[in-house]
Amino acid sequence: MAGTARKRLVQAGIDAFYQRGFHATGLDTILERAETTKTTFYKYFESKNDLALACIQENNVRWREMFPGLLEEIGGE
């Protein structure tokens, strides 16, 4: 996976949390998907809750960037 470990963790979290749910997703699943270790995880996040917050914030940023284009595509100028 390309990108920094933090970016990989956030992307893995977004994928896992939105597919399986927060409670059904264990930290080991995220670490495996991000191809990183617990040591690296704790370098960037204090807990799974902190990662979840980062995932929600990143997903919000992506949605806000994408939304105007979708509106224009569907509704026209």
Side-chain angles (χ1 to χ4, degrees):
M1 266 185 183
T4 68
R6 186 183 190 287
K7 287 181 183 178
R8 291 194 321 267
L9 285 162
V10 170
Q11 185 58 54
I14 289 171
D15 294 343
F17 293 148
Y18 284 88
Q19 287 173 0
R20 302 173 68 189
F22 178 77
H23 292 291
T25 302
L27 184 56
D28 289 336
T29 299
I30 293 167
L31 296 176
E32 185 178 317
R33 288 182 181 208
E35 299 177 352
T36 193
T37 65
K38 284 186 181 180
T39 301
T40 301
F41 174 83
Y42 287 112
K43 176 180 175 184
Y44 295 105
F45 303 101
E46 290 185 20
S47 67
K48 189 172 96 170
N49 286 345
D50 288 338
L51 172 62
L53 179 59
C55 292
I56 292 166
Q57 290 170 333
E58 177 63 25
N59 206 42
N60 184 44
V61 167
R62 291 178 187 180
W63 178 249
R64 286 174 180 258
E65 290 172 353
M66 191 174 48
F67 190 68
L70 291 173
L71 283 178
E72 189 173 310
E73 182 180 316
I74 293 169
E77 294 180 32

